[in-house]
Amino acid sequence: MVFAASINSALGRAGLLLMLAASVFGALAVLYGIRQHDRKLLKQGPLYAWIAFGGIVLAVVMMQRALITRDFSLAYVQQVGSADTPALYNIAAMWSALEGSILLWALILAGFTAAVAWRFRKRTDDVLVAWALIVMFVVSAFFAMLSFGPADPFAAGAPGVTSGPGPNPLLQNHILVLFHPPILYLGYVGFTVPFAFAIAALVTGRLGEGWLMETRRWALFSWAFLTIGILLGGWWSYEVLGWSGVWAWDPVENASFLPWLTGTAYIHSVLVQERRGMLRVWNLSLVLATFSLTILGTFLTRSGVVDSVHAFVESSIGPALLGFLAVVALSGIGLIAWRGDRLRAPGRIDSPVSREAAFLANNLLFGAFALVVLLGTVFPLLAEALQDRQLSVGEPYFDRLGTPIGLALLFLMAVAPALPWRAASGELLRRRLIVPAWIGVATMVVALLLGADGVAQVLTFGLAGFALAGVARQFAVGIRARRRAHGESPPAALLGAVRGNPRLYGGLVVHVGVVLLAVGLAASAGYATKREVRLAPGETATVAGYDVTYLETVTDRSDQKVTVQARARLVRDGDDLGVYAPAISTFPNATGGIGTPSVRTGLFEDVYLTLVSSPTETGRVTLGIAVNPMVLWLWIGGAVMALGTVVALVPGRRTTAVHLPAATTAASAATGPADGGPADADRVAEPEVPVG
Amino acid sequence: MSAAVRRWLPWLALVAVAAVTVAVLVARSAPDDSDAARAARLAREIKCPVCEGLSVADSPEAVSEAIRTDLRRRVDAGEADDEILAAYAARYGEEVLLRPEGGGLGLVVWGLPVLLLVAGGGALAVALRRWSREPRLEASAADEALVARARDGGP
Amino acid sequence: MKHPLRWLAAGIGLVVVAFAVVLAVQDDGPRQTGGRLLGQEMPAFDLPTLDGGRVTSEDLAGKTVVVNFWNSWCIPCRQEEDELAAFYERHRDDGDVALLGVVRDDTEQAAREYAEQAGLGWTVALDPEQQAALDFGTTGQPETFVVAPDGLVTGVQLGPTSLGQLEQMLEEARTGAPSAP
């Protein structure tokens, strides 16, 4: 066996070895340091993390070098690299197939471990931190080991090869391919941090709010990237794949959605533990589930057990990932069961109409949704294992079960921020909810008057109105409180209110984003119009008010591909909207053509053109014409969610003592505490003074 | 008008308006039984045989176009929905049906989530009622701080 | 809390293990689509032919029928054309063997031009509404079906076929032993 085909693979392998060794020895050193109470040893823990990071960086740099210089002595470069592919796409080629994607995962994992080590470098003698580091080292070591066994990116290729097929043509069509996987991985891998701290909390018995508070921002950060990553995937599906849909319930899509569901439940549920010390088992279970689901997702994507648009070539990585998943899940469950007696909450839920109860219901609903998605994804495997039947689960199933749960979640999102902690008086609730509720109903009425139909769609609009009105009310209350206290102008009051409680207002902004997303989903799924038309040059077809006139076909040949474009003019109400050109590209190294849609993005509707078949002898082409409403609002909603998360991540100011009128105190007390200042984040949170 | 009624009046009005709205909505959204609509609905139930999970309604493939045309033809000829789906399952295999069966193994995939929601909701309701009935000990802030410190061994 | 929690944890742990087992026993090969017609009755059809006539399934009853779906633009179809032509030469005078080509997913003009240019001697039927293509459960072309005299499909080939394979499928149809795709 040739150890190193070239300098790239030699140094690359060395880098991987460094990461593996540093992770293993780091785990052992910290473990030993804990046992022997050796502070010096513990202080060195972070060093191992940084060395491991250096190692994987070296490996990734070498892989990129190999790809960019087209070093075809490596089997991986033979598989995904190509002399014809532009350099930019060669960079992204690293994560277009199995081995390189594991390399990317390992890079981000080592990066997070190094970041955690840096963040807590002054607290290495804290047992919680030490154990968290150990867990992260163990996970890092596992992924490094994958790169030595089943997913070796530096394996030597067949000799004498001078070019390769290049990345899958689908991955060469759009710049998005550069961003979607790394962003998604930042989300996936980021959840390793709260998971590590949760395990540390279980092992050390420090099951209070400490581990939560330490990792709050890490969890939120990862959640944000997972959200953006999923939405980017939807955007890519829409812009590139040509079927004018954003979500296909594809098993690999579901694999990214599952940790998102449990992760979202988690970031909400921890608020209850922060405030009242309750739902400890829930939070531990949710973070364990989220991390396990990221591993499950990796397994489903890479093991070949499911058919998918995303599926990588199967390899022996499947059993390794499955084994790791089983170990993680069972260890976590075992630890929770072992520590059961320490997980009793000091408080109780006093009333069904309280924020705690709402969060509990939230957990239940998200859990049910996750179960639906998990069952739907795994059912074909179950059917094959148990009854040797090939069965499918598609949109009809996920829609039927997911829509009611989604609507219930929207409702909860609209109502819960108005619920106070502990218990609500009827009077308070009535006062807070009546106006938003009326606005919600009014929204439904308006929608009906405008001709909308579809129960799920109009209910979504109504709940959206309800939720937005609730958010507006909260902002108004906050602004008014500040104006009364500080006499600021409205814009300054807004800024001051947000700065005073960024978590609350950031969260509200995220909810606005969710509302926009929900509206976009409901409208684009429910009110889209699709037709296929056969047109000769000069002929026009009309779909949903848009006149599409086929002009001509243009063929463009380059080294990379041959593209056949059908140019068509779009006119609406006499306004010329321009010429759009859907295309089909064929690549020299792959069979079959890749369709490229041409999309006119409008504020309220998109016109989506596809070239279904090239001109026949008669010169006619078949065009797909779809008019999709409100698609832009999906992306706007995502951007708003990202913005809200940024706000929520800002360190809050410690509020100075201000003499406020009684009414304002009650109002602000019911909406949540101010976050501690930057100094606080370093320390375990002081137990809270409950504000009645 | 008593004070209680006046308090609840806005809510009663709200519920009334909401109920009427939803009734109108449901009536308006009744599934269209025209042939074209039935064919479109069936197209969402059948998987494109050469795609990775897309329905024939969504898939741009030639086979999907052929199946959509065939669905319209069958619907026009008066075939019932389950007849048509059964014919396709016979011809292309069970995996071409996107909606899992209701009985048999399908109970797993339809029943478990419903079971979870019902059982979970029930457990939640029971627990909430039990907790709200138990006498509450009013712990003071100092008490809770003491307990937290003892439990967590923190600073 | 201890006991209920531990029971719950044990239960969930069991589910996780069962789940892992289900995942572990999966075979990870590509799944075959199509070819369900094996052992079933040949679907009835009534199609126009290139020479202006019609051909129905009844016309071919009692014979061993080889139905070949093809079109003018599919490259494997061109590859197998010689094989089909050789098969036809051998059996054109066998009264009990019939070779029927069915055009799939193509325009009449293109198919006609190709058939003339290639000199296809056997009966070629058009399938303008893709009805036969769907009834036979085809997902692409070329696909070849061999039907025994009693009307049951005994052989299916997805993808280009060869003379040897055609002969073997013919033999199996005559003697009654089904062949796997």
Side-chain angles (χ1 to χ4, degrees), chain A residues 43-67:
Chain A
K43 220 168 149 83
Q44 285 171 11
L47 215 61
Y48 289 95
W50 301 329
I51 293 175
F53 185 55
I56 188 67
V57 165
L58 175 64
V60 168
V61 164
M62 285 300 119
M63 175 52 82
Q64 286 293 352
R65 185 165 175 271
L67 284 167

Side-chain angles (χ1 to χ4, degrees), chain C residues 25-128:
Chain C
V25 301
Q26 297 296 315
D27 52 13
D28 48 1
R31 274 153 206 85
Q32 185 205 47
T33 51
R36 308 250 158 210
L37 217 46
L38 205 55
Q40 313 271 343
E41 241 186 72
M42 180 179 76
F45 54 85
D46 178 358
L47 302 170
T49 58
L50 275 183
D51 55 15
R54 286 197 86 83
V55 62
T56 72
S57 40
E58 277 168 20
D59 298 341
L60 306 171
K63 302 187 189 182
T64 306
V65 186
V66 177
V67 181
N68 169 258
F69 285 87
W70 67 282
N71 62 33
S72 65
W73 49 266
C74 111
I75 295 172
C77 301
R78 297 179 182 219
Q79 288 168 356
E80 71 168 2
E81 192 226 304
D82 290 335
E83 312 285 315
L84 284 167
F87 181 79
Y88 182 64
E89 276 309 310
R90 278 200 198 174
H91 296 282
R92 66 192 299 171
D93 298 321
D94 285 351
D96 65 331
V97 177
L99 173 60
L100 175 67
V102 182
V103 177
R104 187 182 182 285
D105 192 17
D106 202 358
T107 63
E108 178 179 335
Q109 186 178 359
R112 190 181 294 282
E113 274 174 17
Y114 180 81
E116 274 168 24
Q117 175 214 31
L120 303 183
W122 56 91
T123 314
V124 175
L126 294 165
D127 188 18

Side-chain angles (χ1 to χ4, degrees), chain A residues 216-240:
Chain A
R216 176 184 84 84
R217 289 212 173 85
W218 300 81
L220 202 54
F221 178 85
S222 310
W223 178 88
F225 274 95
L226 190 55
T227 309
I228 296 173
I230 293 175
L231 287 173
L232 275 181
W235 192 31
W236 184 76
S237 167
Y238 184 71
E239 292 282 328
V240 173

Side-chain angles (χ1 to χ4, degrees), chain B residues 26 49-50 52 54 57 80 114 126:
Chain B
V26 170
V50 297
E52 305 282 12
L54 282 184
V114 174
V126 164

Side-chain angles (χ1 to χ4, degrees), chain B residues 49-50 62-63 66-70 73-74 88-95, chain C residues 32-33 36-37 40 43 104-105 129-131 133-140:
Chain B
V50 297
V63 174
I67 294 179
R68 289 197 297 266
T69 314
D70 183 53
R73 205 181 9 244
R74 286 181 187 254
Y88 269 93
R91 206 43 83 228
Y92 285 100
E94 281 186 296
E95 73 254 33
Chain C
Q32 185 205 47
T33 51
R36 308 250 158 210
L37 217 46
Q40 313 271 343
R104 187 182 182 285
D105 192 17
E129 296 180 350
Q130 301 288 300
Q131 190 65 60
L134 288 176
D135 285 340
F136 273 77
T138 62
T139 53

Side-chain angles (χ1 to χ4, degrees), chain A residues 616-638:
Chain A
T616 60
E617 313 89 20
T618 56
R620 284 170 182 266
V621 291
T622 309
L623 291 179
I625 306 174
V627 177
N628 303 317
M630 303 293 275
V631 174
L632 185 63
W633 291 93
L634 290 170
W635 321 131
I636 295 179

Side-chain angles (χ1 to χ4, degrees), chain A residues 355 412-420 432 473-474 504 508 511 670-671:
Chain A
R355 204 177 296 187
L412 217 54
M413 196 179 81
V415 169
L419 292 176
R432 284 182 176 179
R473 186 199 73 84
Q474 290 224 264
L504 170 69
L508 289 175
H511 283 184
T671 50

